Structure formats: structure tokens, C-alpha cells
Amino acid sequence: MNDDSLERAGDIKGELLHIWGRQDPHIPVDGRNLIKARLEEVGAVYTWHEFNAAHAFMRDEGPRYDPALARLCWDLVLELFHRRLAG
């Protein structure tokens, strides 16, 4: 894939919410640090949350699901929506 997401980070106009599981093997700490550094470089507006959780910990099926963390994260999502999208 050649989507150049990091290169295009400066084009982002909206506020970002990042939610990460620290034990997610798909995005290791070096990858997260690279993304965060690029967001800082371009002056993106974002919040960043890392939890001691596995990949897909918010998906309400399977052994990785963590209902308490999922609820906390959904509250973060809803807060962002209410703050940024409320009329």
C-alpha cells in the first residue's frame, strides 16, 4: 500500500482521538512514537491514549475484549463527538 498517511498528516483539519493497546503487536511502540512525532511536527490537534490492552480490546467479542476499558474509551469518543459536533 502506498497511502502516504504520515506524509499527508499536515492535511488533517479535524481533531484526532488516538486509542492504543500497548500490547497490540500490529502497532509496536516504535510505530506509535513515529505517528505521534509526525502529529507533533505538523501541529495536529489530537489526544493520545495508551492502555495496557491487546489488539481489538474494544471489540465486544473474543478473549481480548475488556469491557471496562472499552466503556472508558467509548466515553472518550462520545465526549469528542459532543464537544466537536454539537450544534
Side-chain angles (χ1 to χ4, degrees):
M1 294 178 59
N2 190 20
D3 56 14
D4 298 324
S5 297
L6 289 178
E7 185 175 318
R8 295 183 1 235
D11 297 339
I12 297 170
K13 303 293 185 233
E15 182 175 345
L16 300 172
L17 169 64
H18 288 264
I19 297 173
W20 306 94
R22 286 185 177 153
Q23 286 74 41
D24 186 339
H26 301 288
I27 311 274
V29 68
D30 290 342
R32 293 192 308 271
N33 289 339
L34 179 66
I35 293 166
K36 191 172 187 179
R38 179 66 175 145
L39 293 175
E40 288 291 323
E41 181 182 337
V42 300
V45 176
Y46 70 95
T47 55
W48 189 276
H49 304 274
E50 293 189 32
F51 296 96
N52 289 319
H55 176 76
F57 71 94
M58 291 179 63
R59 186 176 23 199
D60 64 351
E61 62 184 19
R64 297 174 294 201
Y65 178 54
D66 186 323
L69 279 181
R71 172 58 195 254
L72 178 65
C73 293
W74 280 115
D75 285 346
L76 293 169
V77 170
L78 292 174
E79 186 280 327
L80 175 65
F81 285 175
H82 286 289
R83 185 167 40 81
R84 301 301 292 179
L85 301 176

Coordinates of all heavy atoms in Angstrom, one line a residue:
M1 N 0.8 -1.2 0.0 CA 0.0 0.0 0.0 C 0.9 1.2 0.0 O 1.9 1.3 0.6 CB -0.9 0.0 1.2 CG -1.9 -1.2 1.2 SD -3.0 -1.2 2.6 CE -3.8 0.3 2.6
N2 N 0.4 2.2 -0.7 CA 1.2 3.5 -0.8 C 0.3 4.7 -0.5 O 0.1 5.5 -1.3 CB 1.8 3.6 -2.2 CG 2.8 4.7 -2.3 OD1 3.3 5.1 -1.3 ND2 3.1 5.1 -3.5
D3 N -0.3 4.7 0.7 CA -1.2 5.8 1.0 C -0.6 7.0 1.6 O -1.2 8.0 1.7 CB -2.3 5.3 1.9 CG -1.8 4.7 3.2 OD1 -0.6 4.9 3.5 OD2 -2.6 4.0 3.9
D4 N 0.7 6.9 2.0 CA 1.5 8.1 2.4 C 0.8 8.8 3.6 O 0.8 10.1 3.6 CB 1.8 9.1 1.3 CG 2.6 8.4 0.2 OD1 3.5 7.6 0.6 OD2 2.4 8.7 -1.0
S5 N 0.2 8.1 4.5 CA -0.6 8.7 5.6 C 0.3 9.7 6.4 O -0.2 10.8 6.7 CB -1.2 7.7 6.5 OG -2.1 6.9 5.8
L6 N 1.5 9.3 6.8 CA 2.3 10.2 7.6 C 2.7 11.4 6.8 O 2.8 12.5 7.4 CB 3.6 9.4 8.1 CG 3.3 8.4 9.2 CD1 4.6 7.7 9.5 CD2 2.7 9.0 10.4
E7 N 3.0 11.2 5.5 CA 3.4 12.4 4.7 C 2.2 13.4 4.6 O 2.4 14.6 4.6 CB 3.8 11.9 3.3 CG 4.3 13.1 2.5 CD 4.8 12.6 1.1 OE1 5.5 11.5 1.1 OE2 4.5 13.2 0.1
R8 N 1.0 12.9 4.6 CA -0.2 13.7 4.4 C -0.8 14.2 5.8 O -1.8 14.9 5.8 CB -1.3 12.9 3.7 CG -0.8 12.6 2.2 CD -1.9 11.9 1.4 NE -3.1 11.7 2.1 CZ -3.7 10.5 2.3 NH1 -3.2 9.4 1.7 NH2 -4.9 10.4 2.9
A9 N -0.1 13.9 6.9 CA -0.7 14.3 8.2 C -0.9 15.8 8.3 O -1.9 16.2 9.0 CB 0.3 13.8 9.3
G10 N -0.2 16.6 7.7 CA -0.4 18.0 7.7 C -1.7 18.5 7.1 O -2.1 19.6 7.3
D11 N -2.3 17.6 6.3 CA -3.6 17.9 5.6 C -4.8 17.8 6.5 O -5.9 18.1 6.2 CB -3.8 17.1 4.4 CG -2.7 17.3 3.3 OD1 -2.1 18.3 3.3 OD2 -2.5 16.4 2.5
I12 N -4.6 17.2 7.7 CA -5.7 16.9 8.6 C -6.2 18.2 9.2 O -5.5 19.0 9.7 CB -5.2 15.9 9.8 CG1 -4.8 14.6 9.2 CG2 -6.4 15.8 10.8 CD1 -4.1 13.7 10.2
K13 N -7.5 18.4 9.1 CA -8.2 19.6 9.5 C -8.9 19.4 10.9 O -9.1 20.3 11.6 CB -9.2 20.1 8.5 CG -8.6 20.4 7.1 CD -7.6 21.5 7.2 CE -7.1 21.8 5.8 NZ -5.7 21.8 5.6
G14 N -9.3 18.2 11.1 CA -10.1 17.9 12.3 C -9.3 17.5 13.5 O -8.1 17.4 13.4
E15 N -9.9 17.3 14.6 CA -9.3 16.9 15.8 C -9.3 15.3 15.8 O -10.2 14.7 15.5 CB -10.1 17.3 17.1 CG -9.4 16.9 18.4 CD -10.1 17.5 19.6 OE1 -10.9 18.5 19.4 OE2 -9.9 17.0 20.7
L16 N -8.1 14.8 16.2 CA -8.0 13.3 16.2 C -8.0 12.8 17.6 O -7.6 13.4 18.6 CB -6.6 13.0 15.6 CG -6.3 13.4 14.2 CD1 -4.9 13.1 13.8 CD2 -7.3 12.7 13.2
L17 N -8.5 11.6 17.8 CA -8.5 10.8 19.0 C -7.8 9.5 18.7 O -8.3 8.7 17.9 CB -10.0 10.6 19.5 CG -10.1 9.6 20.7 CD1 -9.5 10.1 21.9 CD2 -11.6 9.4 20.9
H18 N -6.7 9.3 19.4 CA -6.0 8.0 19.2 C -6.1 7.2 20.5 O -5.9 7.7 21.6 CB -4.5 8.3 19.0 CG -4.2 8.9 17.7 ND1 -3.8 8.1 16.6 CD2 -4.3 10.2 17.2 CE1 -3.6 8.9 15.5 NE2 -3.9 10.1 15.9
I19 N -6.5 5.9 20.3 CA -6.7 5.0 21.4 C -5.9 3.7 21.0 O -6.1 3.1 19.9 CB -8.2 4.6 21.6 CG1 -8.9 5.8 22.0 CG2 -8.3 3.5 22.6 CD1 -10.4 5.6 22.1
W20 N -4.9 3.4 21.8 CA -4.0 2.3 21.5 C -4.0 1.3 22.6 O -4.0 1.6 23.8 CB -2.5 2.9 21.4 CG -2.4 4.0 20.4 CD1 -2.4 5.3 20.7 CD2 -2.2 3.9 19.0 NE1 -2.2 6.1 19.6 CE2 -2.1 5.2 18.5 CE3 -2.0 2.8 18.1 CZ2 -1.8 5.5 17.2 CZ3 -1.8 3.1 16.8 CH2 -1.7 4.4 16.3
G21 N -3.8 0.0 22.2 CA -3.5 -1.0 23.2 C -2.0 -1.2 23.2 O -1.4 -1.5 22.1
R22 N -1.3 -1.1 24.3 CA 0.1 -1.2 24.4 C 0.6 -2.6 24.0 O 1.8 -2.8 23.6 CB 0.6 -0.9 25.8 CG 0.6 0.6 26.1 CD 1.2 0.9 27.4 NE 1.2 2.3 27.6 CZ 1.2 2.8 28.8 NH1 1.2 2.1 29.9 NH2 1.2 4.1 28.9
Q23 N -0.2 -3.6 24.2 CA 0.2 -5.0 23.8 C -0.3 -5.4 22.4 O -0.2 -6.6 22.1 CB -0.3 -6.0 24.9 CG 0.4 -5.9 26.2 CD 0.0 -4.7 27.1 OE1 -1.1 -4.3 27.1 NE2 1.1 -4.1 27.7
D24 N -0.7 -4.4 21.7 CA -1.1 -4.7 20.3 C 0.2 -4.9 19.4 O 0.9 -4.0 19.2 CB -1.9 -3.5 19.7 CG -2.5 -3.8 18.4 OD1 -2.0 -4.7 17.7 OD2 -3.5 -3.1 18.0
P25 N 0.4 -6.2 18.9 CA 1.5 -6.4 18.1 C 1.5 -5.8 16.7 O 2.5 -5.7 16.0 CB 1.6 -7.9 17.9 CG 0.1 -8.3 18.0 CD -0.5 -7.3 19.0
H26 N 0.4 -5.3 16.3 CA 0.2 -4.7 15.0 C 0.8 -3.3 14.9 O 1.2 -2.8 13.8 CB -1.2 -4.6 14.5 CG -1.8 -6.0 14.5 ND1 -1.5 -6.9 13.5 CD2 -2.7 -6.6 15.3 CE1 -2.2 -8.0 13.7 NE2 -3.0 -7.8 14.8
I27 N 0.9 -2.6 16.0 CA 1.5 -1.2 16.1 C 2.4 -1.2 17.3 O 2.0 -0.8 18.4 CB 0.4 -0.1 16.2 CG1 -0.7 -0.3 15.2 CG2 1.1 1.2 16.1 CD1 -0.5 0.4 13.9
P28 N 3.6 -1.6 17.1 CA 4.6 -1.6 18.2 C 4.9 -0.2 18.7 O 4.6 0.8 18.0 CB 5.8 -2.3 17.6 CG 5.7 -2.2 16.2 CD 4.2 -2.0 15.8
V29 N 5.6 -0.1 19.8 CA 5.8 1.3 20.4 C 6.6 2.2 19.4 O 6.4 3.4 19.4 CB 6.6 1.1 21.7 CG1 8.0 0.5 21.6 CG2 6.6 2.4 22.5
D30 N 7.5 1.6 18.6 CA 8.3 2.5 17.7 C 7.3 3.1 16.6 O 7.5 4.2 16.2 CB 9.4 1.6 17.0 CG 10.5 1.3 17.9 OD1 10.6 1.9 19.0 OD2 11.3 0.4 17.6
G31 N 6.3 2.3 16.2 CA 5.4 2.8 15.3 C 4.5 3.9 15.9 O 4.2 4.9 15.2
R32 N 4.1 3.7 17.1 CA 3.3 4.7 17.8 C 4.1 6.0 17.9 O 3.6 7.1 17.7 CB 2.8 4.2 19.1 CG 1.7 3.0 19.0 CD 1.0 2.7 20.3 NE 1.9 2.5 21.4 CZ 2.4 1.3 21.8 NH1 2.1 0.2 21.0 NH2 3.1 1.2 22.9
N33 N 5.3 5.8 18.3 CA 6.2 7.0 18.5 C 6.4 7.8 17.2 O 6.4 9.0 17.2 CB 7.5 6.6 19.1 CG 7.4 6.2 20.6 OD1 6.5 6.5 21.3 ND2 8.4 5.4 21.0
L34 N 6.5 7.1 16.1 CA 6.6 7.7 14.8 C 5.4 8.5 14.4 O 5.5 9.6 14.0 CB 6.9 6.6 13.7 CG 7.1 7.1 12.3 CD1 8.4 8.0 12.2 CD2 7.1 5.9 11.4
I35 N 4.2 7.9 14.7 CA 3.0 8.6 14.4 C 2.9 9.9 15.3 O 2.5 10.9 14.8 CB 1.8 7.7 14.6 CG1 1.8 6.5 13.6 CG2 0.5 8.4 14.6 CD1 0.9 5.4 13.9
K36 N 3.1 9.7 16.6 CA 3.0 10.8 17.5 C 4.0 11.9 17.1 O 3.6 13.1 17.1 CB 3.2 10.4 18.9 CG 2.8 11.4 19.9 CD 2.9 10.8 21.3 CE 2.3 11.8 22.4 NZ 2.4 11.2 23.7
A37 N 5.2 11.6 16.8 CA 6.2 12.6 16.4 C 5.7 13.4 15.2 O 5.9 14.6 15.1 CB 7.5 11.9 16.2
R38 N 5.2 12.7 14.2 CA 4.7 13.3 13.0 C 3.5 14.3 13.3 O 3.5 15.4 12.8 CB 4.3 12.3 11.9 CG 3.8 12.9 10.7 CD 4.9 13.7 9.9 NE 4.3 14.1 8.6 CZ 4.6 15.2 8.0 NH1 5.5 16.1 8.6 NH2 4.1 15.6 6.9
L39 N 2.6 13.8 14.1 CA 1.5 14.7 14.5 C 2.0 16.0 15.2 O 1.5 17.1 15.0 CB 0.5 14.0 15.4 CG -0.2 12.8 14.7 CD1 -1.1 12.1 15.8 CD2 -1.1 13.3 13.6
E40 N 3.0 15.8 16.1 CA 3.6 17.0 16.7 C 4.2 17.9 15.7 O 4.1 19.1 15.8 CB 4.6 16.5 17.8 CG 4.0 15.9 19.0 CD 3.2 17.0 19.8 OE1 3.7 18.1 19.9 OE2 2.2 16.6 20.4
E41 N 5.0 17.3 14.8 CA 5.7 18.1 13.7 C 4.8 18.9 12.9 O 5.1 20.1 12.6 CB 6.4 17.1 12.8 CG 7.2 17.7 11.7 CD 7.9 16.7 10.8 OE1 8.1 15.5 11.3 OE2 8.2 17.1 9.7
V42 N 3.6 18.4 12.6 CA 2.6 19.2 11.7 C 1.7 20.0 12.6 O 0.8 20.7 12.0 CB 1.9 18.3 10.8 CG1 2.8 17.5 9.9 CG2 0.9 17.3 11.5
G43 N 1.8 20.0 13.9 CA 0.9 20.7 14.7 C -0.6 20.3 14.7 O -1.5 21.1 14.9
A44 N -0.8 19.0 14.6 CA -2.1 18.4 14.6 C -2.8 18.6 16.0 O -2.1 18.6 17.0 CB -2.1 16.9 14.2
V45 N -4.1 18.7 16.0 CA -4.8 18.8 17.2 C -5.3 17.3 17.5 O -6.0 16.8 16.7 CB -6.1 19.7 17.1 CG1 -6.9 19.7 18.3 CG2 -5.6 21.1 16.7
Y46 N -4.8 16.8 18.6 CA -5.2 15.4 18.9 C -5.1 15.1 20.4 O -4.4 15.9 21.1 CB -4.2 14.5 18.1 CG -2.8 14.5 18.6 CD1 -2.4 13.5 19.5 CD2 -1.9 15.4 18.2 CE1 -1.1 13.5 20.0 CE2 -0.6 15.4 18.6 CZ -0.2 14.5 19.6 OH 1.1 14.5 20.0
T47 N -5.7 14.0 20.8 CA -5.5 13.5 22.1 C -5.0 12.0 21.9 O -5.3 11.4 20.9 CB -6.7 13.4 23.0 OG1 -7.8 12.8 22.3 CG2 -7.2 14.8 23.4
W48 N -4.2 11.6 22.9 CA -3.5 10.3 22.7 C -3.7 9.5 24.0 O -3.3 10.0 25.1 CB -2.0 10.6 22.5 CG -1.1 9.5 22.1 CD1 -0.5 8.6 23.0 CD2 -0.7 9.1 20.8 NE1 0.2 7.7 22.3 CE2 0.1 8.0 21.0 CE3 -1.0 9.6 19.6 CZ2 0.7 7.4 19.9 CZ3 -0.4 9.0 18.5 CH2 0.4 7.9 18.6
H49 N -4.2 8.3 23.8 CA -4.4 7.4 25.0 C -3.9 6.0 24.7 O -4.2 5.4 23.7 CB -5.9 7.3 25.3 CG -6.6 8.6 25.5 ND1 -6.6 9.2 26.7 CD2 -7.2 9.4 24.6 CE1 -7.3 10.4 26.6 NE2 -7.6 10.5 25.3
E50 N -3.0 5.6 25.6 CA -2.5 4.2 25.5 C -2.9 3.4 26.7 O -2.8 3.9 27.9 CB -1.0 4.2 25.4 CG -0.4 4.8 24.1 CD 1.1 4.6 24.0 OE1 1.6 3.6 24.4 OE2 1.7 5.5 23.3
F51 N -3.4 2.2 26.5 CA -3.9 1.4 27.6 C -3.2 0.1 27.6 O -2.7 -0.4 26.6 CB -5.4 1.1 27.4 CG -6.2 2.4 27.5 CD1 -6.6 3.1 26.4 CD2 -6.6 2.9 28.8 CE1 -7.4 4.2 26.5 CE2 -7.4 4.1 28.9 CZ -7.7 4.7 27.7
N52 N -3.1 -0.5 28.8 CA -2.5 -1.9 28.9 C -3.5 -2.9 28.4 O -4.3 -3.4 29.2 CB -2.1 -2.2 30.3 CG -0.9 -1.4 30.7 OD1 0.1 -1.2 29.9 ND2 -0.9 -0.8 31.9
A53 N -3.6 -3.1 27.1 CA -4.6 -3.9 26.5 C -4.0 -4.4 25.2 O -3.0 -3.9 24.6 CB -5.8 -3.1 26.2
A54 N -4.7 -5.5 24.7 CA -4.3 -6.1 23.4 C -5.0 -5.5 22.2 O -5.9 -4.6 22.4 CB -4.7 -7.6 23.5
H55 N -4.7 -6.0 21.1 CA -5.4 -5.6 19.8 C -6.9 -5.9 20.0 O -7.3 -6.9 20.5 CB -4.8 -6.3 18.6 CG -5.4 -6.1 17.4 ND1 -5.2 -4.9 16.7 CD2 -6.3 -6.8 16.6 CE1 -5.9 -4.9 15.5 NE2 -6.6 -6.0 15.5
A56 N -7.7 -5.0 19.5 CA -9.1 -5.2 19.4 C -9.8 -5.3 20.8 O -10.8 -5.9 21.0 CB -9.5 -6.3 18.6
F57 N -9.2 -4.7 21.8 CA -9.8 -4.8 23.2 C -11.1 -4.1 23.3 O -11.8 -4.4 24.3 CB -8.8 -4.2 24.2 CG -8.6 -2.7 24.2 CD1 -9.4 -1.9 25.0 CD2 -7.7 -2.1 23.4 CE1 -9.3 -0.5 25.0 CE2 -7.6 -0.7 23.4 CZ -8.4 0.1 24.2
M58 N -11.5 -3.3 22.4 CA -12.8 -2.7 22.4 C -13.9 -3.5 21.7 O -15.1 -3.2 21.8 CB -12.8 -1.3 21.8 CG -12.0 -0.3 22.7 SD -11.9 1.4 22.0 CE -13.6 1.9 21.9
R59 N -13.5 -4.5 20.9 CA -14.5 -5.3 20.2 C -15.1 -6.3 21.1 O -14.5 -7.0 21.8 CB -13.8 -6.0 19.1 CG -14.7 -6.8 18.1 CD -14.0 -7.5 17.0 NE -12.7 -7.7 17.2 CZ -11.8 -8.0 16.3 NH1 -12.1 -8.0 15.0 NH2 -10.5 -8.2 16.6
D60 N -16.5 -6.2 21.2 CA -17.2 -6.9 22.2 C -17.4 -8.4 21.9 O -18.5 -9.0 22.1 CB -18.5 -6.3 22.5 CG -19.5 -6.3 21.3 OD1 -19.0 -6.6 20.2 OD2 -20.6 -5.9 21.5
E61 N -16.3 -9.0 21.4 CA -16.3 -10.5 21.2 C -14.9 -11.0 21.3 O -14.0 -10.2 21.1 CB -16.9 -10.9 19.9 CG -16.1 -10.3 18.7 CD -16.8 -10.6 17.4 OE1 -18.0 -10.9 17.3 OE2 -16.1 -10.5 16.4
G62 N -14.7 -12.2 21.7 CA -13.4 -12.7 21.8 C -12.7 -12.5 23.1 O -13.1 -11.7 23.9
P63 N -11.6 -13.2 23.2 CA -10.9 -13.2 24.5 C -10.1 -11.9 24.9 O -9.8 -11.6 26.0 CB -9.8 -14.3 24.4 CG -9.6 -14.4 22.9 CD -10.9 -14.1 22.3
R64 N -9.9 -11.0 23.9 CA -9.2 -9.8 24.2 C -10.1 -8.6 24.6 O -9.6 -7.6 25.1 CB -8.4 -9.3 22.9 CG -7.4 -10.3 22.5 CD -6.7 -10.0 21.2 NE -7.7 -10.1 20.1 CZ -7.5 -10.2 18.9 NH1 -6.2 -10.2 18.5 NH2 -8.4 -10.3 18.0
Y65 N -11.4 -8.8 24.6 CA -12.3 -7.8 24.9 C -12.2 -7.4 26.4 O -12.1 -8.3 27.3 CB -13.8 -8.3 24.7 CG -14.8 -7.3 25.1 CD1 -14.8 -6.0 24.6 CD2 -15.9 -7.7 25.9 CE1 -15.8 -5.1 24.9 CE2 -16.9 -6.8 26.2 CZ -16.9 -5.5 25.8 OH -17.9 -4.7 26.1
D66 N -12.1 -6.1 26.7 CA -12.0 -5.6 28.0 C -13.2 -4.6 28.2 O -13.1 -3.5 27.8 CB -10.7 -4.9 28.3 CG -10.4 -4.5 29.7 OD1 -11.4 -4.1 30.3 OD2 -9.3 -4.6 30.2
P67 N -14.3 -5.1 28.8 CA -15.4 -4.2 28.9 C -15.2 -2.9 29.6 O -15.8 -1.9 29.2 CB -16.5 -5.1 29.5 CG -15.8 -6.2 30.1 CD -14.5 -6.4 29.4
A68 N -14.4 -2.9 30.7 CA -14.2 -1.7 31.5 C -13.4 -0.7 30.6 O -13.8 0.5 30.6 CB -13.5 -2.1 32.8
L69 N -12.4 -1.2 30.0 CA -11.6 -0.2 29.1 C -12.4 0.2 27.9 O -12.3 1.4 27.5 CB -10.3 -0.9 28.7 CG -9.1 -0.9 29.7 CD1 -7.9 -1.6 29.1 CD2 -8.8 0.5 30.1
A70 N -13.2 -0.7 27.4 CA -14.0 -0.3 26.2 C -14.9 0.8 26.6 O -15.1 1.8 25.8 CB -14.7 -1.5 25.7
R71 N -15.6 0.7 27.7 CA -16.5 1.7 28.2 C -15.8 3.1 28.4 O -16.3 4.1 27.9 CB -17.2 1.3 29.5 CG -18.0 2.3 30.2 CD -19.1 2.8 29.2 NE -19.7 4.0 29.7 CZ -20.9 4.1 30.2 NH1 -21.7 3.0 30.4 NH2 -21.4 5.2 30.6
L72 N -14.6 3.0 29.0 CA -13.8 4.2 29.2 C -13.5 4.9 27.8 O -13.6 6.1 27.6 CB -12.5 3.9 29.9 CG -11.6 5.1 30.1 CD1 -12.2 6.1 31.0 CD2 -10.3 4.5 30.7
C73 N -13.1 4.1 26.8 CA -12.7 4.6 25.5 C -14.0 5.1 24.8 O -13.9 6.1 24.1 CB -12.0 3.5 24.7 SG -10.4 3.1 25.4
W74 N -15.1 4.4 24.9 CA -16.3 4.9 24.2 C -16.7 6.3 24.8 O -17.2 7.2 24.1 CB -17.4 3.9 24.3 CG -17.3 2.8 23.3 CD1 -17.1 1.5 23.5 CD2 -17.4 3.0 21.9 NE1 -17.0 0.9 22.2 CE2 -17.2 1.8 21.2 CE3 -17.6 4.1 21.0 CZ2 -17.2 1.6 19.9 CZ3 -17.6 4.0 19.7 CH2 -17.4 2.7 19.1
D75 N -16.5 6.4 26.1 CA -16.8 7.7 26.7 C -15.9 8.8 26.1 O -16.3 9.9 25.9 CB -16.6 7.7 28.2 CG -17.7 7.0 29.0 OD1 -18.8 6.7 28.3 OD2 -17.5 6.6 30.1
L76 N -14.6 8.5 25.8 CA -13.7 9.4 25.2 C -14.2 9.8 23.8 O -14.2 11.0 23.4 CB -12.3 8.8 25.1 CG -11.5 8.7 26.4 CD1 -10.3 7.8 26.1 CD2 -11.2 10.0 27.0
V77 N -14.7 8.8 23.1 CA -15.2 9.0 21.7 C -16.4 9.9 21.8 O -16.6 10.9 21.0 CB -15.6 7.7 21.0 CG1 -16.3 7.9 19.7 CG2 -14.3 6.9 20.8
L78 N -17.4 9.6 22.7 CA -18.6 10.4 22.8 C -18.3 11.8 23.2 O -19.0 12.7 22.8 CB -19.6 9.7 23.7 CG -20.1 8.3 23.2 CD1 -21.0 7.7 24.2 CD2 -20.9 8.5 21.9
E79 N -17.4 12.0 24.1 CA -17.0 13.3 24.6 C -16.5 14.2 23.4 O -16.9 15.3 23.2 CB -16.0 13.2 25.7 CG -15.6 14.6 26.3 CD -14.7 15.4 25.5 OE1 -13.8 14.9 24.8 OE2 -14.8 16.7 25.5
L80 N -15.6 13.6 22.6 CA -15.1 14.3 21.4 C -16.3 14.6 20.5 O -16.4 15.8 20.0 CB -14.1 13.4 20.7 CG -13.6 14.0 19.3 CD1 -12.8 15.3 19.6 CD2 -12.8 13.0 18.6
F81 N -17.1 13.7 20.2 CA -18.3 14.0 19.3 C -19.2 15.1 19.9 O -19.6 16.0 19.1 CB -19.1 12.7 19.1 CG -18.5 11.7 18.2 CD1 -19.1 10.5 18.0 CD2 -17.3 11.9 17.5 CE1 -18.6 9.5 17.1 CE2 -16.7 11.0 16.7 CZ -17.4 9.8 16.5
H82 N -19.5 15.0 21.1 CA -20.3 16.1 21.7 C -19.7 17.4 21.7 O -20.3 18.4 21.4 CB -20.7 15.7 23.2 CG -21.7 14.6 23.2 ND1 -23.0 14.8 22.9 CD2 -21.6 13.3 23.6 CE1 -23.7 13.6 23.0 NE2 -22.9 12.7 23.5
R83 N -18.4 17.4 22.0 CA -17.7 18.7 22.0 C -17.5 19.3 20.6 O -17.6 20.5 20.4 CB -16.3 18.5 22.7 CG -15.5 19.7 22.9 CD -14.3 19.5 23.8 NE -13.6 18.2 23.6 CZ -12.7 18.0 22.7 NH1 -12.4 19.0 21.9 NH2 -12.1 16.9 22.6
R84 N -17.2 18.5 19.6 CA -16.9 19.0 18.3 C -18.0 19.1 17.4 O -18.0 19.8 16.4 CB -15.8 18.1 17.7 CG -14.5 18.1 18.5 CD -13.9 19.4 18.7 NE -13.4 19.9 17.4 CZ -12.8 21.1 17.2 NH1 -12.7 21.9 18.2 NH2 -12.4 21.5 16.1
L85 N -19.1 18.2 17.6 CA -20.2 18.2 16.6 C -21.5 18.7 17.1 O -22.4 18.8 16.4 CB -20.4 16.7 16.2 CG -19.2 16.0 15.6 CD1 -19.5 14.5 15.3 CD2 -18.7 16.7 14.3
A86 N -21.6 19.1 18.4 CA -22.8 19.6 19.0 C -23.1 21.0 18.3 O -22.2 21.8 18.1 CB -22.7 19.7 20.5
G87 N -24.4 21.2 18.0 CA -24.8 22.4 17.3 C -24.6 23.6 18.2 O -24.5 24.7 17.8

